[in-house]
Amino acid sequence: MSVNIYNIVQYYHFLISEFLTEDSINIDCTCGNGNDSLYLCNAMKGKGFLYAFDVQEEAIKKTQKLLLKSSKFNNYKVIHDSHVNVDRYILKKVQLAVFNLGYLPESKSDISTNPDTTIFALEKILKILKLKGYILITAYTGHDKGLERNALFDYLEKLDDKLFKVVNHRIININNYTPELFIIHKMHETD
Ligand SMILES: C[S@@+](CC[C@H](N)C(=O)[O-])C[C@H]1O[C@@H](n2cnc3c(N)ncnc32)[C@H](O)[C@@H]1O
């Protein structure tokens, strides 16, 4: 596969395939229309387990419908709850978690992710992340003038580099609110 490093969705889907390990527990923290959950399910090839969260009933229904129609596998659970409650549902170590921040695309709803709850959930997932596991976060800057992206950046740049490495992937010579990807890799056990 040749990697499209300029299309953020294609790029993080490529990374998902690279970062998954056999029989792993994985999380879609913002399942929305279900596209990332579907990609994860098919990339996991029926092994391990996927938990998908969203606060909106509309998103839960769309994700369930898409997975039922298009996933070749059924090793997943779609959960109508906030990702801040991730530790109520997942008691095992996690290999990969993805956040695709912002609003539900093609919806009239004004519910969006929020910097405080995103960082709160992130802190919980950093604790249950496996050694060598990854978190991928896609942040958009157009809808909130970069508020959530900036809060996330401030939080991530202070993570202890002996425990986590954090990479920020973005196109820097385009001035039109290009989306950004943050890649967090756990380098050392935190407990
Ligand atoms: C950009 S969309 C996600 C797109 C999705 N990954 C896809 O493939 O279609 C962001 C989603 O985050 C959800 N969201 C907002 N706050 C949340 C929270 N605290 N916990 C879980 N989901 C949340 C929204 O309801 C929305 O559906």
Side-chain angles (χ1 to χ4, degrees):
M1 174 182 184
S2 72
V3 193
N4 184 342
I5 59 170
Y6 313 117
N7 180 309
I8 207 94
V9 175
Q10 285 183 27
Y11 184 55
Y12 75 72
H13 281 179
F14 167 79
L15 293 177
I16 285 174
S17 298
E18 293 291 307
F19 295 163
L20 285 174
T21 54
E22 190 94 351
D23 288 328
S24 53
I25 305 293
N26 305 299
I27 317 175
D28 183 350
C29 300
T30 54
C31 63
N33 289 324
N35 301 307
D36 295 329
S37 288
L38 178 62
Y39 189 86
L40 274 155
C41 262
N42 286 333
M44 287 162 64
K45 299 192 173 80
K47 303 218 173 108
F49 205 81
L50 174 71
Y51 294 88
F53 290 84
D54 206 290
V55 279
Q56 294 195 64
E57 194 174 350
E58 182 186 352
I60 295 300
K61 284 187 177 155
K62 283 184 167 168
T63 299
Q64 279 169 334
K65 195 172 165 197
L66 184 68
L67 291 178
L68 274 174
K69 183 172 157 244
S70 305
S71 170
K72 300 187 196 99
F73 310 102
N74 62 3
N75 51 325
Y76 62 82
K77 186 170 185 177
V78 183
I79 300 169
H80 187 187
D81 199 352
S82 168
H83 41 228
V84 300
N85 296 321
V86 63
D87 52 341
R88 289 192 192 159
Y89 302 90
I90 305 175
L91 304 172
K92 292 185 179 166
K93 288 278 186 177
V94 168
Q95 169 62 22
L96 177 65
V98 299
F99 287 82
N100 190 337
L101 303 177
Y103 293 98
L104 180 62
E106 295 143 32
S107 165
K108 292 194 183 87
S109 156
D110 60 359
I111 297 173
S112 169
T113 51
N114 160 288
D116 293 338
T117 46
T118 297
I119 291 171
F120 191 64
L122 188 55
E123 281 178 332
K124 286 188 173 181
I125 297 172
L126 288 173
K127 286 190 190 134
I128 57 169
L129 196 63
K130 268 171 104 169
L131 185 62
K132 304 293 176 195
Y134 290 89
I135 303 175
L136 296 172
I137 308 173
T138 309
Y140 304 86
T141 50
H143 64 293
D144 66 353
K145 300 194 168 67
L147 191 85
E148 187 166 28
R149 177 265 175 211
N150 292 343
L152 205 52
F153 190 99
D154 290 347
Y155 173 77
L156 292 173
E157 73 171 350
K158 292 186 191 76
L159 281 183
D160 184 342
D161 72 330
K162 287 182 210 69
L163 303 181
F164 301 99
K165 289 278 185 282
V166 186
V167 173
N168 183 200
H169 176 94
R170 65 191 167 120
I171 302 175
I172 61 169
N173 61 340
I174 295 182
N175 199 10
N176 68 347
Y177 301 120
T178 168
E180 296 190 21
L181 183 66
F182 294 97
I183 307 163
I184 305 162
H185 191 196
K186 189 164 187 171
M187 309 305 291
H188 203 280
E189 274 306 348
T190 45
D191 303 328

